[in-house]
């Protein structure tokens, strides 16, 4: 039996298009930048932080589920973020400090946001089976195939769905986990995802984790961190 659905927000379809599994205004999106740092003594001086890798060389994929799970940015999946809004570390490495000074000069303080950091010790302690706190704000969409249901995407906007359930433009509803609705040949379902669904074992974050693990083997888990920021 088909049940009733979970969460959708109706927005103006002329201003939005599905990108990265969400509906958002054309030309807008959020990207992540950052650096891996390690802390170590050098030349007999007290331990300080140094830059090891530019994040772009390890992971340049726009993945909002991961952004939300890890850092609370574009958190449509409703995770409890692991490391949100901590700001730029006061003891950031010279390269990171210089990069921020450059970005501020070019774009102003409003040119980037979500500045934060996370250590390898914290990453190692993550329970990747932990579910999000509420169902995904984007309804998951499926189509029937000869091999069963196949997920085709996530969306904050569907004219057909809105008309089927009587949603008005601008109306925001939440629906219980597991609710679903068949509209034409598309099944819309409310789903709560886990951390491992957002940051997969074989996905784009693995090069980052491997690099941090290698640094930690030399410098210690608490002496390796990832510093990130976001721009729209």
């Amino acid at each position: 039996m088909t049940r009733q659905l979970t969460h959708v927000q109706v927005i103006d379809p002329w201003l939005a298009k599905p990108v990265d599994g969400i509906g958002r205004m054309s030309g807008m999106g959020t990207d992540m930048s950052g650096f891996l740092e390690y802390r170590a003594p050098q030349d007999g001086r007290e331990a300080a932080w140094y830059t090891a890798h530019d994040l772009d060389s390890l992971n340049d994929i726009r993945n909002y589920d991961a952004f939300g799970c890890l850092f609370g940015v574009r958190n449509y999946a409703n995770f409890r973020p692991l490391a949100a809004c901590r700001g730029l570390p006061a003891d950031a490495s010279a390269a990171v400090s210089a990069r921020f000074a450059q970005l501020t000069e070019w774009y102003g303080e409003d040119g980037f946001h979500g500045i934060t950091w996370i250590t390898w010790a914290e990453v190692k302690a993550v329970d990747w089976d932990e579910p999000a706190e509420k169902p995904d704000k984007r309804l998951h969409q499926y189509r029937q195939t000869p091999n069963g249901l196949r997920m085709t995407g996530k969306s904050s906007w569907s004219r057909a769905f809105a008309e089927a359930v009587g949603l008005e433009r601008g109306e925001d509803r939440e629906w219980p986990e597991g609710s679903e609705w068949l509209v034409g040949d598309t099944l819309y379902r409310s789903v709560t995802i886990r951390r491992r669904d957002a940051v997969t074992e074989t996905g784009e974050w693995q090069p980052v984790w491997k690099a941090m693990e290698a640094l930690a083997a030399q410098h210690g888990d608490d002496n390796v961190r990832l510093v990130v920021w976001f721009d729209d």
Side-chain angles (χ1 to χ4, degrees):
M1 182 175 67
T2 302
R3 297 163 291 176
Q4 301 239 340
L5 243 156
T6 9
H7 181 115
V8 69
Q9 182 178 11
V10 180
I11 57 179
D12 191 336
W14 296 103
L15 296 178
K17 63 180 181 178
V19 181
D20 301 322
I22 67 165
R24 54 186 171 83
M25 291 180 63
S26 179
M28 295 185 67
T30 298
D31 292 304
M32 177 181 62
S33 302
F35 289 90
L36 296 190
E37 297 182 316
Y38 67 93
R39 180 167 52 191
Q42 198 168 85
D43 299 329
R45 292 176 292 178
E46 186 177 346
W49 287 94
Y50 300 92
T51 299
H53 296 284
D54 185 326
L55 181 61
D56 286 348
S57 67
L58 300 170
N59 175 10
D60 62 355
I61 303 299
R62 181 190 291 177
N63 181 340
Y64 291 165
D65 286 343
F67 292 176
C69 170
L70 298 172
F71 308 116
V73 173
R74 294 275 190 173
N75 193 14
Y76 302 105
N78 287 312
F79 283 106
R80 175 186 62 81
L82 296 174
C85 300
R86 292 177 170 178
L88 182 68
D91 55 357
S93 63
V96 170
S97 297
R99 181 59 173 161
F100 266 87
Q102 184 182 56
L103 290 172
T104 301
E105 181 181 355
W106 287 351
Y107 305 113
E109 293 184 357
D110 296 331
F112 46 91
H113 60 91
I115 307 162
T116 193
W117 53 270
I118 189 169
T119 67
W120 177 241
E122 291 175 301
V123 173
K124 284 181 64 176
V126 173
D127 175 7
W128 296 107
D129 287 318
E130 181 184 355
E133 296 182 306
K134 295 192 297 183
D136 198 330
K137 292 179 182 178
R138 302 151 300 177
L139 294 174
H140 294 209
Q141 300 176 0
Y142 302 85
R143 292 285 179 89
Q144 188 64 253
T145 73
N147 297 320
L149 284 177
R150 179 175 66 86
M151 186 174 176
T152 58
K154 306 180 185 183
S155 181
S156 296
W157 163 256
S158 164
R159 182 191 299 274
F161 175 76
E163 291 176 351
V165 300
L167 283 169
E168 300 294 334
R169 182 176 300 172
E171 183 179 358
D172 192 8
R173 294 188 197 174
E174 291 189 3
W175 311 81
E177 158 74 16
S179 299
E180 58 186 34
W181 200 289
L182 184 63
V183 179
D185 60 355
T186 300
L187 180 70
Y188 298 85
R189 178 180 293 162
S190 173
V191 177
T192 300
I193 68 173
R194 301 172 300 164
R195 294 197 187 278
R196 68 171 63 257
D197 300 319
V199 183
T200 64
E201 293 182 358
T202 59
E204 70 275 6
W205 280 91
Q206 291 315 299
V208 181
W209 302 152
K210 289 179 180 179
M212 293 182 77
E213 184 177 33
L215 288 167
Q218 181 177 358
H219 302 290
D221 294 349
D222 290 313
N223 294 320
V224 176
R225 70 186 175 196
L226 170 64
V227 180
V228 299
W229 62 91
F230 299 83
D231 63 87
D232 296 329

